[in-house]
């Protein structure tokens, strides 16, 4: 890799900050769920985040034709389904570190989904990584006598939908810049899930100060700032290079959960999470090797 073709250090540092904010979002969200029902929390979080991003995206949105928004709205509905399963999984989860590694399987499923939907040919490393990830998931289930909990199934569904979302976004973004696309999707998710919450969940009569503080942290730090930095940083580097760094989210989440919630992992959990992370590295081996050589 020549010096001219190397992704800038600025992009790496920003993406590292994004992974830390994303990991912190797991903690913020878990705490906020103590005072808010899941769909109401995630709906209001994304709606507020989308509205905060809207002024930055507005100059670009004004120049677009109405037909260009169709794809963004459709992808927003997929995003709503994915994040709904994620937050329901989080509500039932008893171990955040393990959950984050299961959710990270979405990265591994991206090329598989591309093959099924668009006929793209995944790299050979994907087919090596998949069985490693399956063994890792099996190790996590062995910790409970070969049984997957409800939260684990929900995170698996969310990971599959996130892989679908990534593929759809990569096509929609060709006609709509990333920042307005993000703002539209966040607002769509917020409107859909808040409406669904109104139909299916009891809303609290009042919110405590702690709940409001965790919600504010989720909106401002884990959503608005995170997505703004992510969109900016991804514009400075390649998607594959960014994906390698984004894999650190699960690692940071496990470490933060260990500090904040005093979580520990059994031998089976450590082995399972280690195998899933190894599968992610195998799947992105070419870019991992390039990143290492760059140093």
């Amino acid at each position: 890799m020549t010096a001219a073709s190397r992704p800038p250090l600025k992009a790496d540092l920003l993406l590292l900050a994004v992974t830390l904010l994303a990991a912190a979002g797991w903690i913020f969200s878990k705490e906020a769920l103590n005072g808010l029902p899941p769909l109401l929390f995630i709906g209001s979080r994304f709606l507020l985040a989308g509205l905060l991003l809207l002024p930055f995206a507005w100059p670009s949105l004004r120049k677009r034709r109405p037909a260009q928004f169709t794809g963004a709205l459709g992808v927003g509905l997929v995003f709503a389904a994915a994040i709904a399963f994620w937050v329901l999984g989080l509500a039932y989860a008893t171990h955040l570190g393990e959950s984050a590694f299961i959710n990270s399987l979405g990265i591994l499923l991206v090329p598989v989904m591309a093959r099924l939907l668009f006929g793209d040919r995944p790299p050979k490393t994907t087919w090596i990584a998949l069985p490693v990830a399956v063994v890792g998931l099996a190790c996590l289930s062995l910790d409970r006598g070969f049984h997957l909990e409800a939260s684990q199934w929900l995170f698996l569904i969310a990971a599959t939908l996130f892989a679908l979302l990534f593929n759809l976004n990569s096509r929609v973004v060709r006609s709509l810049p990333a920042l307005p696309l993000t703002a539209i999707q966040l607002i769509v998710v917020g409107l859909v899930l808040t409406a669904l919450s109104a139909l299916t969940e009891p809303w609290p009569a009042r919110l405590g100060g702690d709940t409001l503080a965790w919600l504010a942290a989720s909106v401002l730090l884990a959503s608005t700032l995170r997505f703004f930095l992510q969109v900016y940083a991804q514009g400075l580097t390649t998607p594959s290079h960014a994906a390698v760094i984004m894999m650190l989210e699960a690692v940071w989440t496990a470490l933060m959960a260990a500090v904040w919630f005093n979580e520990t992992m059994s031998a089976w959990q450590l082995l399972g999470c280690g195998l899933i992370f190894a599968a992610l590295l195998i799947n992105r081996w070419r870019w991992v090797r390039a990143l290492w050589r760059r140093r």
Side-chain angles (χ1 to χ4, degrees):
M1 183 180 292
T2 64
S5 63
R6 290 175 181 174
L9 178 61
K10 181 179 180 181
D12 289 358
L13 294 176
L14 286 173
L15 287 169
L16 184 62
V18 168
T19 62
L20 289 167
L21 288 170
W26 286 74
I27 307 296
F28 301 158
S29 298
K30 189 65 174 176
E31 291 285 9
L33 289 174
N34 290 325
L36 282 168
L39 296 180
L40 176 59
F41 161 69
I42 204 68
S44 55
R45 168 184 165 177
F46 274 67
L47 180 58
L48 290 171
L51 292 175
L52 286 172
L53 282 178
L54 189 59
F56 300 98
W58 186 249
S60 178
L61 287 172
R62 292 181 60 187
K63 301 175 184 177
R64 308 295 158 183
R65 300 186 306 274
Q68 291 181 285
F69 296 114
T70 304
L73 294 174
V75 176
L77 294 177
V78 177
F79 195 179
I83 205 67
F85 279 105
W86 178 84
V87 76
L88 290 173
L90 185 63
Y92 288 111
T94 56
H95 199 289
L96 258 63
E98 177 187 280
S99 301
F101 277 96
I102 296 175
N103 192 67
S104 68
L105 288 172
I107 298 173
L108 184 60
L109 294 174
V110 167
V112 178
M113 193 68 68
R115 173 67 175 177
L116 294 174
L117 293 178
F118 306 109
D120 295 352
R121 181 174 297 180
K124 293 179 181 179
T125 51
T126 297
W127 307 118
I128 301 173
L130 277 173
V132 176
V134 170
V135 173
L137 186 60
C139 289
L140 294 180
S141 66
L142 282 171
D143 191 56
R144 299 165 184 79
F146 205 70
H147 171 71
L148 287 176
E149 294 182 343
S151 64
Q152 293 174 317
W153 283 111
L154 290 166
F155 281 121
L156 280 173
I157 296 171
T160 304
L161 289 171
F162 280 127
L164 172 62
L165 177 68
F166 187 94
N167 277 281
L168 295 177
N169 259 340
S170 66
R171 273 121 182 121
V172 173
V173 78
R174 295 171 186 170
S175 61
L176 196 64
L179 184 57
L181 175 63
T182 301
I184 291 172
Q185 289 182 359
L186 291 178
I187 291 172
V188 169
V189 171
L191 291 173
V192 170
L193 295 187
T194 302
L196 185 60
S197 171
L199 295 174
T200 61
E201 292 178 331
W203 287 17
R206 61 178 297 275
L207 295 177
D210 288 349
T211 300
L212 289 173
W214 290 119
L215 175 61
S218 298
V219 172
L220 297 174
L221 299 178
S223 296
T224 308
L225 181 60
R226 171 204 169 178
F227 284 115
F228 187 85
L229 290 179
Q230 185 172 331
V231 168
Y232 178 66
Q234 285 178 331
L236 300 176
T237 186
T238 63
S240 297
H241 184 87
V244 173
I245 300 176
M246 293 299 292
M247 290 190 300
L248 290 173
E249 177 185 339
V251 178
W252 301 140
T253 302
L255 292 175
M256 289 182 185
V259 173
W260 192 259
F261 295 115
N262 294 317
E263 285 188 359
T264 58
M265 286 194 182
S266 67
W268 282 116
Q269 287 175 313
L270 284 171
L271 179 59
C273 292
L275 286 171
I276 289 174
F277 190 68
L280 296 175
L281 292 176
I282 292 169
N283 187 47
R284 295 287 180 176
W285 180 246
R286 184 173 54 153
W287 293 279
V288 171
R289 186 172 57 183
L291 185 63
W292 179 260
R293 286 178 176 175
R294 174 190 170 190
R295 305 302 172 218

